[in-house]
Amino acid sequence: MIDIYVYYRVRSELAALMLPHVRGMQASLRAAYGVDALLKRRPEEKDGAQTWLEVYPSVPEEFLGNLEQAAIDAHLPIDGGRHIEIFVDLPECA
């Protein structure tokens, strides 16, 4: 299992319009794949944009392709593209 973090910039004037689209995309992913999905943002704005973060904890590796397709299908107005980071758990100490 992996944890997926996706961050991107959203123009501040588009944030209210984009929020239901991202939440809808995440709701569809939850329903279709049974995954948890969180949405966060940095508290500050910079250069007229907000930084948003989607978090998908403990998902199978093959989920990544479904996530990328869902974002394409959602036609999200993102400033500069989506940046994906993948993390794995550290092994337990013996």
Side-chain angles (χ1 to χ4, degrees):
M1 299 294 250
I2 60 173
D3 296 337
I4 300 174
Y5 299 85
V6 184
Y7 62 94
Y8 45 88
R9 293 175 52 86
V10 176
R11 301 292 315 155
S12 297
E13 67 269 13
L14 297 177
L17 296 172
M18 186 164 156
L19 183 59
H21 293 282
V22 176
R23 293 226 189 265
M25 177 189 74
Q26 289 186 316
S28 295
L29 290 166
R30 274 190 208 95
Y33 304 102
V35 300
D36 287 331
L38 304 168
L39 181 62
K40 300 175 178 281
R41 67 165 277 225
R42 285 193 173 142
E44 72 279 350
E45 296 184 14
K46 183 178 178 185
D47 300 325
Q50 302 172 4
T51 301
W52 287 18
L53 176 70
E54 296 170 27
V55 181
Y56 302 93
S58 298
V59 298
E61 285 188 40
E62 57 270 14
F63 176 74
L64 184 56
N66 300 317
L67 174 60
E68 291 176 337
Q69 188 59 52
I72 291 168
D73 293 345
H75 303 289
L76 303 175
I78 293 171
D79 189 19
R82 292 165 56 88
H83 306 281
I84 299 172
E85 300 283 344
I86 297 172
F87 286 78
V88 298
D89 291 335
L90 291 171
E92 295 289 325
C93 293

